[in-house]
Amino acid sequence: MAQQENEVIAVDDDGYVVDTEDCEARELAHRERGTARPITVVGNPVLHRECKDVTEFGDELAKLIDDMFASQKAAEGVGLAANQIGVDAKVFVYDCPDDEGVRHTGVVVNPRLVELPAGSRVLDDSNEGCLSVPTAYASLARPDYAEVTGQDAQGNPIKVRGTGYFARCLQHETDHLYGYLYIDRLSKRDRKDALRQMAEGTPRYETVPND
């Protein structure tokens, strides 16, 4: 069964999506309709090129979103891009807390990261990980505030904003859809170390082997 087409996305007074309400119920509804799929890992070609824009907003997209929520939960992630389950489409889902512990749950189609003025950026160099680079973590400086524009599952324009850990999630998932993994933003030494961690670890979820 596909996502209901008449789902209404609330916005606040500034026009940003209200993604903090009914998170448990919304995530569960998607997940119960969806089927978990294995996760693609670094080296899989779909992760290393820009994904295609979504132009059709119907049952096929709704089913993909449901499967992405199911896959995200199965892998115990906080965000998931479509190419992480092998689908060449600009879509990501998230179920992520911010630094205050507030839960954010939603989906962004055809996302674009809003460029922040250089003078307003405050960098956070916390550790970052990725379901597509399982068992590896590295410190990566990113702005502690992020805004993403895009569309919802019905094709309506939306804006999403976040701080702290959630801001990192928005940037990380948007990167995925343009062919970048977080390790691509590391120094050569740190990237090598992350890949070593991955080689030495064992994923806790099903992955797609790079044959």
Side-chain angles (χ1 to χ4, degrees):
M1 183 176 177
Q3 177 181 339
Q4 294 185 17
E5 295 185 3
N6 60 354
E7 182 178 348
V8 176
I9 306 296
V11 297
D12 63 18
D13 292 341
D14 296 320
Y16 292 92
V17 165
V18 177
D19 56 9
T20 57
E21 296 179 352
D22 303 318
C23 292
E24 185 72 25
R26 291 188 291 111
E27 188 274 340
L28 180 61
H30 282 295
R31 182 159 44 91
E32 287 185 334
R33 293 190 297 259
T35 301
R37 306 190 200 179
I39 304 296
T40 55
V41 296
V42 57
N44 189 305
V46 75
L47 293 174
H48 302 281
R49 61 174 182 260
E50 181 176 344
C51 292
K52 295 177 181 176
D53 291 341
V54 173
T55 58
E56 298 292 331
F57 295 83
D59 286 347
E60 185 175 346
L61 175 61
K63 174 58 177 169
L64 171 62
I65 291 169
D66 290 341
D67 286 357
M68 289 174 67
F69 272 103
S71 303
Q72 174 179 257
K73 184 69 172 183
E76 300 178 15
V78 297
L80 187 75
N83 52 356
Q84 291 186 273
I85 56 170
V87 179
D88 185 1
K90 283 185 182 155
V91 187
F92 75 77
V93 302
Y94 59 88
D95 187 17
C96 182
D98 58 29
D99 283 358
E100 283 70 51
V102 178
R103 182 177 179 180
H104 300 259
T105 303
V107 56
V108 185
V109 182
N110 298 325
R112 294 189 67 88
L113 195 64
V114 176
E115 190 71 23
L116 300 176
S120 68
R121 296 176 191 167
V122 177
L123 295 181
D124 171 10
D125 61 357
S126 297
N127 265 9
E128 191 161 327
C130 179
L131 297 178
S132 292
V133 193
T135 74
Y137 297 89
S139 173
L140 177 62
R142 290 192 190 264
D144 70 352
Y145 174 83
E147 292 186 19
V148 171
T149 62
Q151 294 164 282
D152 65 17
Q154 289 75 47
N156 304 306
I158 58 171
K159 298 190 297 181
V160 183
R161 61 182 172 183
T163 59
Y165 188 51
F166 181 43
R168 182 174 295 273
C169 175
L170 292 174
Q171 295 168 82
H172 180 112
E173 301 308 331
T174 302
D175 269 357
H176 267 303
L177 299 176
Y178 289 86
Y180 296 99
L181 285 81
Y182 85 97
I183 60 172
D184 296 328
R185 299 191 178 277
L186 301 175
S187 68
K188 289 184 178 179
R189 183 177 68 178
D190 289 346
R191 176 188 168 93
K192 183 177 180 180
D193 181 64
L195 292 174
R196 177 193 57 77
Q197 292 178 54
M198 175 180 165
E200 293 176 353
T202 301
R204 62 184 182 274
Y205 44 83
E206 185 181 2
T207 60
V208 178
N210 293 329
D211 296 327

